[in-house]
Short mmCIF file of all heavy atoms in Angstrom, two decimals:
data_model
loop_
_atom_site.label_atom_id
_atom_site.label_comp_id
_atom_site.label_asym_id
_atom_site.label_seq_id
_atom_site.Cartn_x
_atom_site.Cartn_y
_atom_site.Cartn_z
N LYS A 374 27.01 95.61 165.21
CA LYS A 374 26.13 96.26 164.22
C LYS A 374 25.30 95.21 163.49
O LYS A 374 25.61 94.02 163.52
CB LYS A 374 26.96 97.06 163.22
CG LYS A 374 27.71 98.23 163.86
CD LYS A 374 28.52 98.99 162.81
CE LYS A 374 29.28 100.14 163.46
NZ LYS A 374 30.10 100.88 162.47
N SER A 375 24.23 95.68 162.84
CA SER A 375 23.36 94.73 162.13
C SER A 375 22.66 95.40 160.97
O SER A 375 22.53 96.63 160.91
CB SER A 375 22.33 94.13 163.09
OG SER A 375 21.51 95.16 163.63
N HIS A 376 22.21 94.59 160.03
CA HIS A 376 21.35 95.00 158.92
C HIS A 376 20.03 94.26 159.07
O HIS A 376 20.02 93.06 159.38
CB HIS A 376 21.98 94.65 157.57
CG HIS A 376 23.23 95.40 157.27
ND1 HIS A 376 23.25 96.61 156.61
CD2 HIS A 376 24.53 95.12 157.55
CE1 HIS A 376 24.49 97.03 156.47
NE2 HIS A 376 25.29 96.14 157.04
N PHE A 377 18.93 94.96 158.85
CA PHE A 377 17.61 94.35 158.97
C PHE A 377 16.93 94.40 157.62
O PHE A 377 16.78 95.47 157.03
CB PHE A 377 16.77 95.09 160.01
CG PHE A 377 15.48 94.40 160.34
CD1 PHE A 377 15.44 93.38 161.28
CD2 PHE A 377 14.30 94.75 159.71
CE1 PHE A 377 14.25 92.74 161.59
CE2 PHE A 377 13.10 94.11 160.00
CZ PHE A 377 13.09 93.10 160.95
N PHE A 378 16.53 93.22 157.10
CA PHE A 378 16.00 93.12 155.74
C PHE A 378 14.60 92.50 155.74
O PHE A 378 14.21 91.78 156.65
CB PHE A 378 16.91 92.26 154.87
CG PHE A 378 18.32 92.76 154.77
CD1 PHE A 378 19.36 92.09 155.41
CD2 PHE A 378 18.62 93.90 154.04
CE1 PHE A 378 20.66 92.54 155.32
CE2 PHE A 378 19.93 94.37 153.95
CZ PHE A 378 20.95 93.69 154.60
N ASN A 379 13.88 92.78 154.64
CA ASN A 379 12.57 92.18 154.39
C ASN A 379 12.53 91.74 152.94
O ASN A 379 13.08 92.39 152.06
CB ASN A 379 11.47 93.21 154.69
CG ASN A 379 10.26 93.07 153.79
OD1 ASN A 379 10.16 93.77 152.79
ND2 ASN A 379 9.36 92.19 154.12
N VAL A 380 11.88 90.58 152.68
CA VAL A 380 11.66 90.12 151.30
C VAL A 380 10.16 90.00 151.07
O VAL A 380 9.36 90.06 152.01
CB VAL A 380 12.38 88.79 151.01
CG1 VAL A 380 13.88 88.99 150.96
CG2 VAL A 380 12.03 87.74 152.07
N GLU A 381 9.77 89.84 149.81
CA GLU A 381 8.35 89.89 149.45
C GLU A 381 7.61 88.57 149.65
O GLU A 381 6.40 88.56 149.85
CB GLU A 381 8.20 90.33 147.98
CG GLU A 381 8.78 91.71 147.68
CD GLU A 381 7.98 92.85 148.29
OE1 GLU A 381 6.81 92.63 148.66
OE2 GLU A 381 8.52 93.95 148.42
N LEU A 382 8.33 87.45 149.58
CA LEU A 382 7.68 86.14 149.66
C LEU A 382 8.36 85.26 150.70
O LEU A 382 9.57 85.35 150.91
CB LEU A 382 7.73 85.44 148.30
CG LEU A 382 6.94 86.07 147.16
CD1 LEU A 382 7.29 85.39 145.85
CD2 LEU A 382 5.44 85.97 147.42
N GLY A 383 7.56 84.39 151.31
CA GLY A 383 8.12 83.46 152.28
C GLY A 383 9.14 82.52 151.66
O GLY A 383 10.13 82.15 152.30
N SER A 384 8.91 82.12 150.42
CA SER A 384 9.86 81.24 149.74
C SER A 384 11.22 81.91 149.58
O SER A 384 12.26 81.27 149.65
CB SER A 384 9.31 80.81 148.38
OG SER A 384 9.00 81.94 147.58
N GLU A 385 11.22 83.24 149.37
CA GLU A 385 12.48 83.97 149.26
C GLU A 385 13.23 83.96 150.59
O GLU A 385 14.45 83.82 150.63
CB GLU A 385 12.22 85.43 148.84
CG GLU A 385 11.71 85.60 147.44
CD GLU A 385 11.47 87.07 147.10
OE1 GLU A 385 10.61 87.70 147.74
OE2 GLU A 385 12.15 87.57 146.20
N LEU A 386 12.48 84.11 151.69
CA LEU A 386 13.10 84.07 153.01
C LEU A 386 13.77 82.72 153.25
O LEU A 386 14.89 82.64 153.75
CB LEU A 386 12.04 84.34 154.08
CG LEU A 386 12.50 84.30 155.54
CD1 LEU A 386 13.51 85.40 155.82
CD2 LEU A 386 11.33 84.43 156.49
N ALA A 387 13.07 81.66 152.87
CA ALA A 387 13.62 80.31 153.03
C ALA A 387 14.88 80.12 152.21
O ALA A 387 15.85 79.51 152.67
CB ALA A 387 12.57 79.28 152.65
N VAL A 388 14.89 80.67 151.00
CA VAL A 388 16.08 80.55 150.13
C VAL A 388 17.26 81.31 150.72
O VAL A 388 18.40 80.83 150.71
CB VAL A 388 15.76 81.04 148.70
CG1 VAL A 388 17.03 81.15 147.87
CG2 VAL A 388 14.78 80.09 148.02
N TRP A 389 17.00 82.52 151.25
CA TRP A 389 18.09 83.30 151.87
C TRP A 389 18.66 82.56 153.07
O TRP A 389 19.88 82.51 153.27
CB TRP A 389 17.60 84.69 152.27
CG TRP A 389 17.64 85.69 151.16
CD1 TRP A 389 16.59 86.29 150.54
CD2 TRP A 389 18.81 86.19 150.50
NE1 TRP A 389 17.02 87.14 149.54
CE2 TRP A 389 18.39 87.11 149.49
CE3 TRP A 389 20.18 85.99 150.65
CZ2 TRP A 389 19.27 87.79 148.66
CZ3 TRP A 389 21.07 86.66 149.82
CH2 TRP A 389 20.62 87.55 148.84
N GLU A 390 17.79 81.97 153.88
CA GLU A 390 18.27 81.24 155.06
C GLU A 390 19.16 80.07 154.64
O GLU A 390 20.27 79.89 155.16
CB GLU A 390 17.08 80.72 155.86
CG GLU A 390 17.49 79.99 157.13
CD GLU A 390 16.32 79.33 157.83
OE1 GLU A 390 15.36 78.94 157.14
OE2 GLU A 390 16.38 79.20 159.06
N LYS A 391 18.70 79.29 153.69
CA LYS A 391 19.46 78.14 153.21
C LYS A 391 20.77 78.58 152.55
O LYS A 391 21.82 77.95 152.74
CB LYS A 391 18.61 77.35 152.21
CG LYS A 391 19.27 76.10 151.66
CD LYS A 391 19.41 75.04 152.72
CE LYS A 391 19.94 73.73 152.13
NZ LYS A 391 20.14 72.71 153.18
#
Side-chain angles (χ1 to χ4, degrees):
K374 296 180 181 179
S375 60
H376 294 270
F377 189 84
F378 302 108
N379 146 264
V380 289
E381 300 290 342
L382 294 171
S384 56
E385 291 179 297
L386 179 63
V388 170
W389 276 113
E390 182 187 29
K391 181 69 174 178

